[in-house]
């Protein structure tokens, strides 16, 4: 088998779902103007149900025969076949409830639990195949929250549960002083690696500087994702002296899981220009949570009795090994999901930017199905409930991907999107230019970025006369309604 070079819905991300221009229920989404994204969940649901209804003949007065699986095994909303095993307690749901004692939304806790399950499966060599394509449980996940939202606390909860379960040798928490030290660590530990990065931007800055950049450490790490090939030995100049640096030798391909956290601002600030096109970013799962879920002045301590249950569940999951499988009827449902989702990615206004993320996501959903099955039932034969959860989580992740693609995955693009969103949020009343200047007073390139938005027909401006000095109003094109020369008749308000 060869390695492929690819690339319960929660209200975690509160940004509105936007409908892609030109999209309707009876047509494949077509490319449109490069303004905004569209609602993945809405389109996938419409197209998926419509196509399913068509081929089972529900719109025809004459029943049709088909060799495909029955509708009860295809529709997401359909009742799945009865389970042939008793529930043993879902680790992800239990962990999310146990850790939900701070202001962060539940989605963050679910993501942490998913990573713990994936890391244990990866260390045990669990994988799932799609033909000759081999997917290990490599999972690189970054939690994007507000600054100071308690991300580090959540990573600490994860470490505590691993310790409570008596699972050692999985968590790596060292700081590398050089690129060779980074490679040496990965060659020394052959039982899997879980890295908890409390601030991903710090690691991005590290990989983009000094010996790490000169050595190509980030490119090397990027190539390890889902890769079964044993890395080449690293040799140094030999002088036949005892002081010679020994070679770095890998006995097996290292399996790597990363759970990182960052504020969005710091994350984008430390991105390199080629991080998206070069394949680094498409390998990551982005979990965006927006505002805090609640106000919590005095967080409670997690329940120690539940912690004991979680430890037992982790121990059971850690005993799983080998190949994960899915029944043929689920594979057929995967084919339907694949066709619809691929079209959605390819219809993005910038397909060259979006398709690399699709190339990774088509395998990620299979990993999610395995993770949910191991979490819920401590087994590696994926059932319908786990497959349905994987599709629901996939819809959330794709929405976040498309929302982030609006930034072009660059620091400048992120700044422009912040400006655009800030002005759009003021609706038809618009925003005084002076208020905008004050809000972004710390950005020395503020006027240059605003000029870019003017030139791209994203932000319009008009003059509001009144007593004293006339005020310049900034308004998003979605709310302008003809009050500037670009929208039509100039209207004085």
């Amino acid at each position: 088998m060869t390695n492929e070079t690819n690339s319960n819905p929660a209200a975690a991300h509160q940004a509105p779902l936007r409908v892609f221009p030109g999209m309707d229920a009876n047509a494949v989404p077509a490319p449109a103007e490069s303004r905004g994204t569209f609602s993945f969940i809405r389109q996938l649901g419409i197209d998926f149900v419509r196509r399913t209804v068509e081929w089972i003949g529900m719109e025809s007065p004459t029943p049709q025969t088909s060799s495909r699986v029955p509708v009860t095994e295809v529709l997401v909303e359909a009742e799945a076949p009865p389970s042939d095993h008793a529930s043993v307690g879902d680790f992800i749901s239990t962990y999310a409830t146990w850790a939900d004692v701070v202001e962060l939304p539940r989605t963050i806790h679910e993501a942490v639990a998913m990573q713990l399950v994936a890391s244990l499966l990866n260390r045990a060599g669990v994988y799932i195949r799609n033909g000759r394509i081999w997917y290990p449980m490599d999972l690189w996940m970054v939690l994007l929250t507000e600054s100071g939202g308690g991300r580090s606390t959540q990573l600490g909860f994860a470490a505590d549960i691993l310790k409570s379960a008596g699972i050692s040798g999985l968590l790596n928490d060292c700081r590398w002083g050089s690129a060779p030290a980074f490679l040496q660590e990965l060659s020394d530990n052959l039982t899997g690696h879980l890295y908890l990065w409390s601030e991903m931007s710090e690691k991005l800055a590290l990989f983009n500087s000094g010996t790490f950049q000169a050595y190509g450490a980030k490119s090397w790490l990027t190539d390890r994702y889902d890769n079964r090939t044993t890395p080449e030995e690293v040799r140094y100049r030999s002088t036949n002296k005892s002081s010679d640096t020994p070679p770095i030798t890998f006995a097996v391909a290292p399996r790597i899981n990363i759970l990182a956290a960052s504020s969005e601002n710091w994350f984008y600030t430390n991105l390199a220009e080629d991080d998206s096109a070069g394949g680094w970013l498409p390998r990551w799962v982005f979990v965006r949570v927006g505002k805090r879920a609640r106000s919590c002045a005095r967080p409670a301590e997690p329940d120690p009795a539940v912690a004991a249950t979680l430890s037992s569940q982790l121990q059971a999951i850690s005993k799983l090994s080998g190949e994960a499988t899915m029944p043929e009827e689920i594979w057929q449902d995967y084919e339907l999901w694949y066709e619809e989702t691929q079209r959605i990615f390819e219809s993005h206004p910038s397909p060259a930017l979006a398709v690399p993320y699709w190339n990774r996501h088509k395998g990620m959903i299979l990993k999610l199905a395995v993770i949910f099955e191991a979490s819920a039932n401590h087994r590696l034969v994926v059932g319908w409930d786990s497959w349905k959860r994987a599709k629901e989580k996939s819809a959330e992740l794709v929405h976040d991907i498309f929302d982030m693609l609006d930034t072009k995955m660059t620091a400048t693009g992120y700044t422009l999107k912040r400006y655009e969103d800030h002005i759009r949020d003021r609706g038809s009343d618009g925003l005084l230019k002076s208020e905008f200047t004050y809000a972004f007073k710390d950005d020395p390139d503020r006027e240059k970025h605003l000029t870019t938005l003017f030139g791209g027909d994203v932000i319009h401006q008009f003059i509001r006369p009144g007593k004293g000095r006339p005020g310049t109003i900034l308004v998003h094109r979605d709310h302008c309604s003809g009050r500037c020369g670009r929208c039509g008749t100039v209207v004085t308000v």
Side-chain angles (χ1 to χ4, degrees):
M1 293 174 287
T2 60
N3 175 62
E4 183 193 39
T5 305
N6 318 317
S7 348
N8 326 355
H13 178 48
Q14 301 299 327
L17 295 176
R18 288 166 287 163
V19 180
F20 189 86
M23 181 186 297
D24 60 55
N26 298 307
V28 174
E33 301 173 2
S34 57
R35 52 171 69 181
T37 59
F38 54 86
S39 167
F40 168 82
I41 299 174
R42 177 181 181 272
Q43 179 61 23
L44 182 56
I46 291 172
D47 279 359
F48 183 77
V49 173
R50 175 178 56 78
R51 292 173 181 273
T52 302
V53 167
E54 286 176 355
W55 65 250
I56 65 172
M58 289 181 65
E59 295 181 344
S60 171
T62 305
Q64 299 177 3
T65 59
S66 173
S67 59
R68 299 205 186 202
V69 293
V71 63
T72 53
E73 297 177 338
V74 176
L75 285 175
V76 173
E77 298 81 2
E79 181 180 355
S83 174
D84 58 358
H85 55 282
S87 175
V88 289
D90 180 52
F91 173 79
I92 294 174
S93 297
T94 306
Y95 180 94
T97 301
W98 171 78
D100 193 13
V101 295
V102 293
E103 295 181 342
L104 290 173
R106 181 183 176 90
T107 300
I108 285 285
H109 316 309
E110 292 175 342
V112 171
M114 288 166 56
Q115 182 61 273
L116 290 177
V117 174
S119 300
L120 288 175
L121 297 178
N122 214 13
R123 180 168 76 164
V126 172
Y127 63 95
I128 185 169
R129 289 185 299 163
N130 183 8
R132 292 184 60 83
I133 303 173
W134 181 86
Y135 294 107
M137 293 298 111
D138 289 5
L139 180 60
W140 300 359
M141 180 182 291
V142 56
L143 313 176
L144 297 173
T145 71
E146 291 181 317
S147 180
R151 301 182 304 269
S152 298
T153 300
Q154 293 312 301
L155 300 185
F157 285 169
D160 290 345
I161 286 297
L162 287 173
K163 182 178 180 181
S164 175
I167 297 173
S168 60
L170 176 65
L171 189 60
N172 297 78
D173 55 3
C174 71
R175 180 182 176 85
W176 315 295
S178 65
F182 163 62
L183 269 64
Q184 185 67 58
E185 184 195 30
L186 286 171
S187 68
D188 285 346
N189 187 342
L190 304 180
T191 58
H193 308 75
L194 170 59
Y195 292 100
L196 301 181
W197 296 350
S198 59
E199 185 48 69
M200 184 180 181
S201 62
E202 177 190 8
K203 293 299 188 290
L204 289 174
L206 180 67
F207 280 119
N208 293 331
S209 64
T211 60
F212 286 86
Q213 185 179 43
Y215 200 91
K218 187 163 67 175
S219 297
W220 185 90
L221 177 60
T222 299
D223 195 43
R224 302 280 70 78
Y225 184 87
D226 282 0
N227 198 332
R228 297 184 67 196
T229 305
T230 303
E232 297 176 343
E233 182 181 72
V234 180
R235 289 184 176 273
Y236 299 91
R237 186 172 65 91
S238 175
T239 62
N240 296 319
K241 296 180 181 179
S242 60
S243 59
D244 285 352
T245 302
I248 300 176
T249 304
F250 293 83
V252 296
R255 300 270 54 89
I256 303 169
N257 291 69
I258 306 173
L259 180 60
S262 181
S263 68
E264 287 204 3
N265 189 36
W266 282 26
F267 171 76
Y268 282 103
T269 298
N270 288 280
L271 289 181
E273 288 296 326
D274 63 344
D275 277 345
S276 193
W280 169 254
L281 287 180
R283 286 162 168 78
W284 287 83
V285 170
F286 304 104
V287 180
R288 304 177 70 220
V289 298
K291 302 291 184 180
R292 66 175 185 263
R294 67 174 76 87
S295 179
C296 186
R298 300 179 62 187
E301 286 289 337
D303 190 339
V306 177
T309 299
L310 291 170
S311 297
S312 298
Q313 291 173 336
L314 271 189
Q315 290 167 357
I317 293 170
S318 69
K319 296 176 183 178
L320 300 174
S321 63
E323 181 178 2
T325 61
M326 295 198 310
E328 175 60 24
E329 56 267 26
I330 295 183
W331 278 113
Q332 293 184 33
D333 196 49
Y334 171 76
E335 292 177 13
L336 293 173
W337 172 88
Y338 188 104
E339 293 173 0
E340 298 294 341
T341 311
Q342 183 179 42
R343 289 190 180 96
I344 291 173
F345 273 90
E346 291 177 346
S347 66
H348 187 272
S350 300
L353 182 64
V355 168
Y357 291 86
W358 160 246
N359 289 336
R360 290 298 169 183
H361 190 74
K362 63 188 180 185
M364 178 55 62
I365 192 173
L366 300 177
K367 297 184 185 186
L368 293 174
V370 175
I371 291 168
F372 287 133
E373 186 64 39
S375 171
N377 301 308
H378 304 176
R379 68 172 197 167
L380 297 178
V381 179
V382 175
W384 277 100
D385 287 345
S386 298
W387 173 240
K388 179 180 178 180
R389 286 178 71 182
K391 289 197 290 186
E392 292 171 344
K393 178 57 67 174
S394 164
E396 295 176 31
L397 297 178
V398 173
H399 174 260
D400 283 344
I401 290 173
F402 272 71
D403 201 44
M404 294 179 70
L405 287 177
D406 279 353
T407 68
K408 309 300 182 185
M409 290 298 191
T410 65
T412 299
Y414 172 68
T415 299
L416 292 173
K417 188 172 187 298
R418 284 177 61 213
Y419 287 7
E420 178 185 354
D421 290 345
H422 187 75
I423 297 171
R424 181 197 282 118
D425 289 345
R426 298 300 291 265
S428 59
D429 291 337
L431 178 70
L432 275 170
K433 174 74 179 302
S434 58
E435 293 179 356
F436 172 85
T437 300
Y438 182 79
F440 298 100
K441 61 181 182 298
D442 294 331
D443 184 358
D445 296 322
R446 177 186 62 254
E447 292 301 320
K448 182 178 71 173
H449 293 324
L450 188 57
T451 299
T452 299
L453 292 173
F454 288 151
D457 194 32
V458 176
I459 300 301
H460 300 173
Q461 61 180 335
F462 61 93
I463 303 300
R464 175 182 291 167
K467 295 181 180 179
R469 183 179 179 182
T472 299
I473 304 297
L474 305 177
V475 62
H476 194 275
R477 64 185 171 200
D478 291 349
H479 303 293
C480 194
S481 303
R483 286 177 289 175
C484 71
R486 294 187 179 188
C487 291
T489 305
V490 178
V491 178
T492 301
V493 295

